[in-house]
Amino acid sequence: MIFMTRDEQYMQRCLELAAAGIRSVAPNPMVGSVIVHEDKIIGEGFHQQFGGAHAEVHAINSVENPAFLKRSTLYVSLEPCAHFGKTPPCAELIKETGIPKVVIATSDPNPLVNGKGIELLKEAGCEVITGVLEKEANELNRRFFHFYQTGRPYFILKWAETKDGFLDKERIKSDPVQPNWITDDVCRMLVHRWRTEEQAIMVGTNTALLDNPNLDNRFWPGAAPIKLIPDRSLKIPLSYNLFKPTSTVYVFNTLKDSREGHVNLIKTDFNHLLENIVAFLNEKNIQSVIIEGGSSLIQSFIDKKMWDEARIFTGPVIFESGLRAPVISGNCIFDEEISNSRLRILRPFLYI
């Protein structure tokens, strides 16, 4: 049994609250907050929607008797902001309410905030404690932290392979344009949930042409991810499913720049494709991407050491020949049976 201090127990509640925002707050971080008076939670809240009120605001507004605030402790899973963005600074609100003590899991890596919220609170005479469940808070917002600490999005590689290591069968011209499924509906539902948790999704040209995927999340509620398609010569017909207006589409190509409705063609130098895509995503403040194929696109991210998680299903299917799965090694953080398949989640060894 793991013993937790009172501060850790309250911070754990902050993290539980924060996680509820995973499908609606990006590119903002997930944040939860509780307010404790005489060892009792009297208010709590979380950041619910990008552009909406922050966790501390919801927590403070939920307190029935504001007089208690001057004798309470506010717990929050991320350093309160100290700048005017889409909402006023939370550190100023905390200061105005007279809350005498604030416990923070981790500082904010965004240079607009980093340390400034803590400094403002201390200057106001507030007692500030930091580092409570810091590791857990950083893990929850790993996409956000990675974006600001490395200067690129958090890339998740996902694929399904057969027992004998293939992604797909050999295709012939008479084959239907559709996926050769390796996993079952339960696994596909999980993948659709994952899609709602990332800002963007990417597949290569061949996968798009052979499978005609939707790249949406029709099996799970939430916002559909932005679609990213490297298509050097614009081979993919605009009638294909991925161009349905479920979300914005960006097609990286060597021919032209144009925009028609939700479809954007981005002329790109394919000699430095991944670097150019990263620069584009950084400019758009897209902090996470799930890459679902094909083999050569995924392998290019692996070869450039430009990946942060790999989620690999192994299904109960044998193809005997076809398209080989990517080659990857890393630190396995999850290895369990999911319905009819095995799911492994890897991270690069540097994350150990």
Side-chain angles (χ1 to χ4, degrees), residues 17-26 30 46-48 140 142-143 196-198:
L17 290 165
I22 190 167
R23 281 176 275 279
S24 56
V25 302
M30 294 170 275
F46 67 97
H47 185 33
Q48 300 175 13
L140 177 68
R142 60 191 181 278
R143 301 159 180 85
T196 69
E197 296 172 357
E198 312 310 330

Side-chain angles (χ1 to χ4, degrees), residues 16 22 28 45 101 110-111 121 176 181-183 187 212 220 225 234 251-252 256 280-282 289 326:
E16 292 168 358
I22 190 167
N28 281 357
K101 183 177 178 180
N110 185 339
L121 292 171
W181 293 111
I182 294 172
T183 58
C187 297
N212 190 18
W220 197 268
L234 298 178
V251 183
F252 302 94
K256 62 181 178 179
F280 174 85
L281 295 173
N282 286 349
V289 182

Side-chain angles (χ1 to χ4, degrees), residues 163-178:
K163 281 186 174 182
D164 53 346
F166 293 97
L167 295 186
D168 199 2
K169 296 178 180 178
E170 294 282 359
R171 302 276 189 131
I172 58 176
K173 287 186 177 181
S174 60
D175 284 339
V177 180
Q178 63 185 32

Side-chain angles (χ1 to χ4, degrees), residues 47-222:
H47 185 33
Q48 300 175 13
Q49 190 74 38
F50 176 70
H54 289 186
E56 302 94 318
V57 176
H58 285 297
I60 289 170
N61 289 343
S62 73
V63 175
E64 292 185 4
N65 188 346
F68 288 165
L69 292 172
K70 296 185 186 301
R71 302 189 305 277
S72 298
T73 299
L74 182 143
Y75 292 80
V76 63
S77 59
L78 189 71
E79 176 184 3
C81 61
H83 68 292
F84 282 89
K86 290 185 177 294
T87 60
C90 293
E92 285 286 356
L93 175 63
I94 296 168
K95 173 183 169 182
E96 291 169 5
T97 60
I99 294 173
K101 183 177 178 180
V102 177
V103 180
I104 300 167
T106 187
S107 58
D108 191 325
N110 185 339
L112 291 174
V113 182
N114 190 249
K116 298 180 179 68
I118 293 171
E119 183 181 357
L120 190 153
L121 292 171
K122 287 182 176 179
E123 288 176 350
C126 186
E127 179 186 355
V128 179
I129 295 174
T130 61
V132 177
L133 296 190
E134 181 175 16
K135 181 178 178 181
E136 292 83 352
N138 290 349
E139 171 67 16
L140 177 68
N141 278 311
R142 60 191 181 278
R143 301 159 180 85
F144 178 77
F145 275 81
H146 185 277
F147 183 78
Y148 283 104
Q149 291 172 346
T150 69
R152 68 163 176 82
Y154 191 88
F155 288 120
I156 299 169
L157 311 179
K158 173 264 161 187
W159 70 86
E161 61 183 50
T162 63
K163 281 186 174 182
D164 53 346
F166 293 97
L167 295 186
D168 199 2
K169 296 178 180 178
E170 294 282 359
R171 302 276 189 131
I172 58 176
K173 287 186 177 181
S174 60
D175 284 339
V177 180
Q178 63 185 32
N180 287 312
W181 293 111
I182 294 172
T183 58
D184 66 6
D185 289 346
V186 173
C187 297
R188 290 196 282 278
M189 186 181 295
L190 175 58
V191 171
H192 282 227
R193 192 192 83 180
W194 288 345
R195 290 176 180 177
T196 69
E197 296 172 357
E198 312 310 330
Q199 288 179 267
I201 184 170
M202 183 187 301
V203 295
T205 307
N206 287 339
T207 299
L209 288 171
L210 294 173
D211 290 355
N212 190 18
N214 287 277
L215 301 186
D216 61 12
N217 56 293
R218 60 197 178 278
F219 299 141
W220 197 268

Side-chain angles (χ1 to χ4, degrees), residues 32-52:
S33 179
V34 301
I35 297 173
V36 177
H37 175 72
E38 294 182 351
D39 210 23
K40 179 183 177 182
I41 294 177
I42 61 170
E44 62 181 28
F46 67 97
H47 185 33
Q48 300 175 13
Q49 190 74 38
F50 176 70

